[in-house]
Amino acid sequence: MKNLLFYFGFATIITHELDAMTQSEWRLLFILRSLPEQTASLAFVIIHIPLIAALLWLTNNQSQSIKNWSRIALATFMIIHSGLHKLLENSPNYTFNSPLSMALIYGAGFFGFLYLIQVFISWQQTVSNNLVKGD
């Protein structure tokens, strides 16, 4: 269940990035918004190539520790990202008002939150089992 929650969160945040392209999200980002429109949109797309590659590599890493911590970090980001969108919703450049946009933004945060709850429950169970075993 925990993995499924993570994958739904990851899929939702990536799909949000597709929607972000149609909404010209670079107009909200500190560095990109100061660039010419054509340059900013191109940079926005190109930046996502190494970013998504790194996220795929980290969150599916053979090292269990790297995999777990990167998933926790991404799930935390999904929650923070939802909060940032909430803070920016009154900006004149904010156009994420459709039900789809809001479902993707807040859905990713929701899945990230549920994933972190599952991680916490798993840790609690591991600690409890270790105490019972006397480890």
Side-chain angles (χ1 to χ4, degrees):
M1 179 63 139
K2 183 173 64 173
N3 287 334
L4 189 59
L5 289 170
F6 174 77
Y7 289 131
F8 270 109
F10 198 148
T12 306
I13 195 82
I14 294 297
T15 305
H16 159 67
E17 292 308 313
L18 294 172
D19 184 47
M21 189 63 204
T22 67
Q23 304 294 330
S24 304
E25 187 174 41
W26 54 87
R27 294 177 185 160
L28 298 169
L29 302 175
F30 295 111
I31 296 171
L32 295 180
R33 69 181 174 201
S34 63
L35 297 174
E37 187 76 9
Q38 189 89 15
T39 304
S41 67
L42 181 64
F44 184 81
V45 171
I46 290 172
I47 288 167
H48 281 81
I49 296 168
L51 176 64
I52 293 170
L55 288 174
L56 287 168
W57 180 75
L58 289 166
T59 60
N60 294 287
N61 200 285
Q62 290 182 354
S63 165
Q64 196 63 41
S65 181
I66 291 172
K67 178 176 153 179
N68 290 343
W69 284 108
S70 60
R71 287 182 177 201
I72 289 167
L74 183 55
T76 302
F77 170 76
M78 288 187 265
I79 296 166
I80 293 167
H81 176 266
S82 294
L84 291 172
H85 270 272
K86 185 68 178 160
L87 289 173
L88 290 169
E89 71 184 0
N90 293 320
S91 168
N93 291 327
Y94 191 86
T95 59
F96 294 92
N97 302 311
S98 74
L100 175 62
S101 291
M102 289 189 286
L104 293 172
I105 292 162
Y106 299 115
F110 180 69
F111 283 120
F113 181 70
L114 291 179
Y115 174 77
L116 292 177
I117 288 172
Q118 287 293 312
V119 167
F120 180 75
I121 290 169
S122 293
W123 281 350
Q124 291 292 68
Q125 289 171 343
T126 301
V127 169
S128 294
N129 290 341
N130 288 340
L131 288 175
V132 170
K133 290 179 185 176
D135 289 346

